[in-house]
Amino acid sequence: MIPSNFPLSFSDPVARARVDHRPVVALESTVITHGLPYPDNLNLARDLENEIAGEQATPATIALLDGKIQVGLTSSQLERLATAEGAIKVSRRNFGLALARGLVGGTTVAGTMHVAHQAGIQVFATGGIGGVHRNAPFDVSNDLMELGRTPMVVVCAGAKSILDLPATLEVLETQGVLVLGYQTDEFPAFFSRTSGLALSARSDNPEDIAAIARAHWQVGVDSAILVVNPLAEEVALDYGEVESYIRTALQDAEEQGVHGSSMTPYLLARINELSGGRTLQANLALLRSNARLAARIAVALVLPGLNRTM
Ligand code: PSU
Ligand code: MN
C-alpha cells in the first residue's frame, strides 16, 4: 500500500503495533507547532500519548522532521518539534515543498489524515477541525475535502465558532462525511458544548461507532466518519462569552491583514489572550478526552477483526 519510496519513518512502538495488528491512534501536530505555546504544547503532546496508551492503544503523533514524515515520535523528537523555530503548517498542498527543503512541519488535520491512511491507521484524534471561515466563504479548510476522501474515524470536539458552523456542516454533507454526535444530538462548538445546530445522527458508545465505520467502508464509501465529542461540562465556556472574544479577534485580524493559513493560528492565540488564558484549560481537557475516546474506538475496531477467521 505504501509506495516503496514514500518517505515514512515509523517509531519502534508504532512499527511493532502495525506488525501485530494492534490498535493505533494518530495524533496531529499543528496543535504542537502552532496551536499552543511552549511548554504547554510539549506537556499536552505527552499527556495525549499517555491517555491513548492507558486505553491499550499505541499513539502515533505525525510530523515532519529531518526531511521525513515521522509516524510516532520519540521523546526527544517530540521536544524538538515543540521548540522548533520556523515550523510550518503542513497540509496536502505543501508536503513536497516541506520535505524537499527539509523543513520542520506540524501536520494539520488534512495532512495527518493523508499520512495516517498511507500508514494503515484507521482512527485519529484532534481538538477541532478547520472549516469555512466567517466573512470569507472561499477560505474553506482543506480538512473538509480530506474528510471527504479518506476512510478514517476522526474524533474532535466540533469546530470553533471562529468558523461559519452552518456552512461547515453543509460542506461536510456535500463531501459525504457522516457527522456523529457522541452522546449528543447537537454539533459542539469546541469551547462550548452546544451550537444550536442539530445533527442527524448520534452514537453513545465506541462499539457502536466501530460497527458504523466498518459498515460505511464495507459498502465502498471512502469518506471519514467525524465523531464530535462535546467537552466536559466543568471546563466548558459560555457560548456568548466566547462569541464576544471571537468578534474582537476577527476585527483585529482584519485590521492586521491576516489571511490564509495564518488565520487559524492568529485567531486562536488572540482568543486565548482575550480570555486571560482560560480557553487553554478547556482546550487541553477536550484534547485529552478526544484521545481517550479515539483509543476506545480503535480498540473496538481491531478486536472483532482478531476474532474473525482470516
Ligand atoms: N482549529 C482549531 N485548532 C487548530 C486547528 C484548527 O480549533 O489547531 C488547526 C488544525 O490542525 C486544522 C488546521 O487542521 O488548523 C486548519 O487550518 P486551515 O484553516 O488553514 O486549513
Ligand atoms: Mn484556510
Side-chain angles (χ1 to χ4, degrees), residues 28 30-31 34-35 89 91 107-110 126-131 133 139-143 159-160 162-163 190 260-262 264-265 268:
E28 61 137 315
T30 296
V31 68
H34 292 73
K89 224 174 116 173
S91 193
T107 48
T108 65
V109 168
T126 183
I129 56 161
H133 278 272
D139 185 351
V140 181
S141 175
N142 182 226
D143 291 356
K160 288 204 180 81
I162 54 176
L163 301 171
F190 199 86
S261 66
S262 309
T264 304
L268 298 184

Side-chain angles (χ1 to χ4, degrees), residues 38 55 62-63 136 144 177 206 218 242 258-259 278:
Y38 180 84
E55 298 292 337
I62 290 171
L144 303 185
V177 179
Q218 265 163 9
V242 177
V258 180
H259 59 89
R278 281 171 47 239

Side-chain angles (χ1 to χ4, degrees), residues 22-165:
R22 283 185 284 108
V24 177
V25 174
L27 292 166
E28 61 137 315
S29 49
T30 296
V31 68
I32 301 172
T33 54
H34 292 73
L36 297 170
Y38 180 84
D40 298 303
N41 58 353
L42 181 60
N43 294 332
L44 180 270
R46 293 195 164 134
D47 285 353
L48 295 187
E49 297 206 339
N50 290 334
E51 293 286 356
I52 289 166
E55 298 292 337
Q56 319 309 321
T58 301
T61 304
I62 290 171
L64 273 63
L65 272 179
D66 305 322
K68 287 196 181 113
I69 301 175
Q70 309 287 343
V71 183
L73 300 177
T74 63
S75 182
S76 69
Q77 285 177 324
L78 212 50
E79 177 132 24
R80 278 170 53 208
L81 188 71
T83 54
E85 298 273 331
I88 66 161
K89 224 174 116 173
V90 179
S91 193
R92 173 172 281 268
R93 66 171 176 173
N94 55 359
F95 272 107
L97 178 88
L99 288 170
R101 303 244 163 104
L103 302 177
V104 175
T107 48
T108 65
V109 168
T112 306
M113 287 181 77
H114 174 69
V115 173
H117 181 55
Q118 303 286 331
I121 300 172
Q122 291 180 305
V123 184
F124 164 33
T126 183
I129 56 161
V132 182
H133 278 272
R134 288 194 201 177
N135 310 323
F138 293 104
D139 185 351
V140 181
S141 175
N142 182 226
D143 291 356
L144 303 185
M145 286 65 196
E146 202 67 34
L147 285 160
R149 63 191 284 174
T150 309
M152 188 166 293
V153 176
V154 178
V155 181
C156 70
K160 288 204 180 81
S161 45
I162 54 176
L163 301 171
D164 181 336
L165 297 184

